Amino acid sequence: MISSSPKSRENAWLWLYKIMSGLLIFFVLGLHFLVNHLVEKGGLLSYADVVHYYTNPIIPVIEVTFLVLAVSHSLIGIRSIVLDLNPSGKVLQFIDWCFIALGSAAIFYGIALVIIVVSRATGV
Amino acid sequence: MSSIRWKVTFIITRQRSKSKCYQQPFLLEVDPDEYILDCIERIWAFHDRSLTFRHACHHSTCGACGMRVNGVEKLTCITAIRSVTQDGGTVHIEPLRNFPVLSDLVVDMSTFFLRLEQVNAATVLPLQEACLPGEIKDQPVIESGQYERLVDCIECGLCISACPTALTSSSYQGPATLAAIQQGCQPGNQPFQILLADHEDGVWRCHSAYECSAVCPSNVDPAARIMNLRRRILTQHIRSLFSRQPEEAKNE
Amino acid sequence: MSNRPSPLHFWRWFDPRARQVGTWAFIINRITALGLTAYLFIHLIVLGQLALGPQYYDQFIAFAKLPVVKIGELAVLAAGIIHALNGIRVALTGLGFAVRWQKHMLYSLMCLAALGIFVVFVKLFLLD
């Protein structure tokens, strides 16, 4: 009647992380939005603007934090929706690996982008 | 009883086990202050003796007569005609959702009852634990023991029918079971029920739709109990991170 | 139509008929979550344009000024505001606080969201 999954206690922390990351995203997103659209006159509307913006070292830190939080929050959330569909243990394991792969890929990709832009900012 | 009579059409979802369901209309003349269950009984008595439905106490204590009336989960013994339709109107009657249909309006509640049994859901509790929400727990102490009270949950299953998680997941414990765990357990007491709650099919599967509390006819407020249980479980987890005792020993 | 719990019934998650306020919040949260996740990944891919160089990025910004794209942006921002504000309610009540006021919280937060969306609309379409 109840599925005796070996990971039965893990969900408490995942849920708590989802909540905490959600609340943090609220603030970091606000920051991200402010600096991307409101600080420069009219926002970051040209390639040159973006590169200039990344010369400030705090910016990559904020952006990467935001990336990690947003990707993890959204994928854990989608996982909850998938769990509602009652997948079997094996299917769930496979889906978990897909999420981990997708999430890691997105984060590495994002960090790579940041590095490229920062290198253009400092190199140029 | 007043002498007003309304003409109301009842459209009942019929189904024999394993065959397709269909809708059957019945036109009745009813007193608007009568209850839906009275009308269903009259349909059975005078129109179609093959109609199957559950009923017992007729005063919202046994939890047998739960059905969906115009899509909303209700206890039909206390749902007046007046509250769901008008003269010349239509009332759709369907069985509770998320339970297998045995026949017509009767659903298979066995898994539900077994789950409650599994968590040793209490039927009687000391008054301190069985208050209505917001009720002051300041009761006089009597020499012969404590005042006790019947627990609010009448095991009618309306909450399961309304829950969006129970809609797609048969392994979800359900609001009634989780509420029973919250009500019957004190911190450190009955740890195995907490394990059932602290599980991906337990409290963490709830998505805060609050529909269970909205349809509960008996003041159980399962949603609030689930949230309270979450807080207790999280507090326990966080405390166990900082305490040096092993987990089993923190039952104080 | 089977009455048992089944993953095939998932479309009924989004059916608000005969359901109350809390379920509407659940439906809106789920829809905005799916929409925002899709947007997140699209946004990341599009940002790859940055790495290609100035001409691609500036071209993209020109494209982003089209009205169709602006409406899409409005939708995304609206979804974000709604999901964030409702998320605060879910977080608070999920930790066991203020559960009794979940309906009131929803009403007031959605009014706030409507205000926020209006501000965004003004900024996107009426100014600039």
Side-chain angles (χ1 to χ4, degrees):
Chain A
M1 216 182 338
I2 44 162
S3 51
S4 55
S5 133
K7 303 186 278 183
S8 66
R9 294 178 79 95
E10 148 194 81
N11 242 274
W13 295 112
L14 268 184
W15 182 84
L16 192 60
Y17 178 80
K18 204 199 308 182
I19 297 283
M20 296 290 139
S21 60
L23 288 174
L24 278 173
I25 287 174
F26 192 60
F27 294 111
V28 181
L29 175 61
L31 209 61
H32 174 82
F33 208 73
L34 268 173
V35 297
N36 272 307
H37 291 284
L38 298 172
V39 168
E40 296 266 353
K41 196 189 75 135
L44 296 173
L45 284 182
S46 76
Y47 178 83
D49 283 336
V50 175
V51 169
H52 174 77
Y53 165 68
Y54 270 84
T55 50
N56 185 344
I58 197 79
I59 296 299
V61 172
I62 296 179
E63 298 291 346
V64 171
T65 310
F66 181 43
L67 172 69
V68 171
L69 284 174
V71 168
S72 54
H73 179 86
S74 69
L75 289 180
I76 293 176
I78 302 287
R79 180 179 183 268
S80 289
I81 298 180
V82 167
L83 272 176
D84 279 350
L85 297 172
N86 222 18
S88 71
K90 284 227 171 81
V91 171
L92 182 62
Q93 251 187 331
F94 172 71
I95 292 176
D96 280 342
W97 277 114
C98 288
F99 281 139
I100 293 176
L102 184 60
S104 319
I107 291 173
F108 283 133
Y109 166 85
I111 293 179
L113 263 186
V114 167
I115 291 176
I116 291 176
V117 175
V118 169
S119 71
R120 300 234 179 108
T122 52
V124 164
Chain B
M1 284 290 191
S2 72
S3 59
I4 307 173
R5 289 287 178 268
W6 285 2
K7 284 195 164 43
V8 177
T9 310
F10 290 85
I11 301 183
I12 303 190
T13 301
R14 309 283 310 266
Q15 184 177 19
R16 295 290 123 178
S17 196
K18 305 225 176 26
S19 58
K20 274 192 77 127
C21 64
Y22 59 98
Q23 324 252 285
Q24 191 173 358
F26 298 94
L27 178 60
L28 255 65
E29 244 187 41
V30 297
D31 177 338
D33 292 311
E34 279 184 305
Y35 301 103
I36 301 276
L37 189 57
D38 298 330
C39 301
I40 295 177
E41 286 179 334
R42 210 166 327 126
I43 291 172
W44 170 82
F46 300 117
H47 294 253
D48 187 348
R49 283 285 172 124
S50 70
L51 179 63
T52 339
F53 61 100
R54 279 204 183 102
H55 66 123
C57 73
H58 276 252
H59 63 263
S60 67
T61 305
C62 67
C65 65
M67 295 171 207
R68 276 185 291 151
V69 177
N70 288 338
V72 184
E73 286 77 7
K74 295 241 155 75
L75 276 187
T76 47
C77 62
I78 51 170
T79 306
I81 309 283
R82 192 186 283 287
S83 66
V84 293
T85 191
Q86 302 144 331
D87 190 6
T90 314
V91 180
H92 290 262
I93 314 265
E94 298 158 285
L96 288 180
R97 203 176 259 163
N98 307 332
F99 292 102
V101 172
L102 289 171
S103 172
D104 293 339
L105 301 167
V106 174
V107 294
D108 182 353
M109 309 270 281
S110 49
T111 312
F112 175 64
F113 292 140
L114 281 171
R115 285 206 169 113
L116 285 167
E117 188 64 34
Q118 188 178 34
V119 302
N120 294 335
T123 38
V124 172
L125 280 176
L127 200 52
Q128 314 298 48
E129 277 101 54
C131 286
L132 289 174
E135 195 177 25
I136 298 168
K137 295 183 183 182
D138 186 22
Q139 305 294 338
V141 176
I142 53 173
E143 275 194 30
S144 44
Q146 293 172 304
Y147 283 119
E148 288 188 325
R149 191 169 173 272
L150 281 172
V151 154
D152 282 315
C153 180
I154 55 175
E155 302 179 11
C156 59
L158 298 196
C159 53
I160 312 291
S161 176
C163 174
T165 305
L167 179 68
T168 47
S169 176
S170 51
S171 56
Y172 177 46
Q173 293 284 19
T177 315
L178 294 170
I181 293 175
Q182 191 269 357
Q183 188 152 44
C185 297
Q186 303 313 307
N189 192 17
Q190 298 168 312
F192 95 88
Q193 280 96 331
I194 297 283
L195 269 179
L196 284 176
D198 182 16
H199 188 275
E200 61 194 34
D201 291 318
V203 287
W204 309 113
R205 190 100 332 279
C206 170
H207 290 297
S208 311
Y210 295 103
E211 201 66 39
C212 51
S213 288
V215 299
C216 178
S218 193
N219 277 315
V220 175
D221 201 355
R225 293 191 186 277
I226 291 175
M227 301 309 168
N228 179 268
L229 196 49
R230 276 186 180 170
R231 194 185 342 171
R232 276 203 225 155
I233 291 174
L234 278 174
T235 319
Q236 224 174 352
H237 276 309
I238 292 174
R239 273 215 201 112
S240 75
L241 279 181
F242 294 107
S243 93
R244 295 212 193 106
Q245 296 161 332
E247 291 240 326
E248 301 77 40
K250 68 174 164 17
N251 298 341
E252 351 48 282
Chain C
M1 152 80 78
S2 166
N3 213 37
R4 296 166 186 270
S6 157
L8 295 172
H9 293 162
F10 75 92
W11 60 270
R12 272 210 217 116
W13 286 335
F14 305 111
D15 182 3
R17 294 174 298 176
R19 296 281 74 120
Q20 298 206 26
V21 166
T23 302
W24 303 345
F26 161 77
I27 291 172
I28 293 175
N29 220 39
R30 199 151 266 211
I31 293 177
T32 52
L34 292 168
L36 285 168
T37 304
Y39 172 73
L40 173 65
F41 287 95
I42 294 174
H43 184 61
L44 285 175
I45 292 172
V46 162
L47 281 179
Q49 302 278 358
L50 269 178
L52 295 174
Q55 65 278 37
Y56 293 100
Y57 184 74
D58 294 334
Q59 213 175 56
F60 171 73
I61 293 288
F63 166 71
K65 293 225 182 242
L66 289 176
V68 164
V69 178
K70 278 195 163 185
I71 292 177
E73 271 178 36
L74 179 65
V76 166
L77 286 169
I81 292 173
I82 291 172
H83 189 86
L85 290 176
N86 189 35
I88 295 177
R89 169 181 161 270
V90 170
L92 271 177
T93 57
L95 289 167
F97 299 112
V99 179
R100 222 187 312 171
W101 291 286
Q102 59 95 10
K103 265 194 210 159
H104 307 82
M105 269 203 267
L106 183 68
Y107 289 136
S108 42
L109 288 173
M110 288 304 111
C111 285
L112 207 59
L115 193 63
I117 293 171
F118 180 68
V119 167
V120 168
F121 170 76
V122 164
K123 178 111 208 341
L124 266 182
F125 287 99
L126 298 183
L127 303 178
D128 171 68

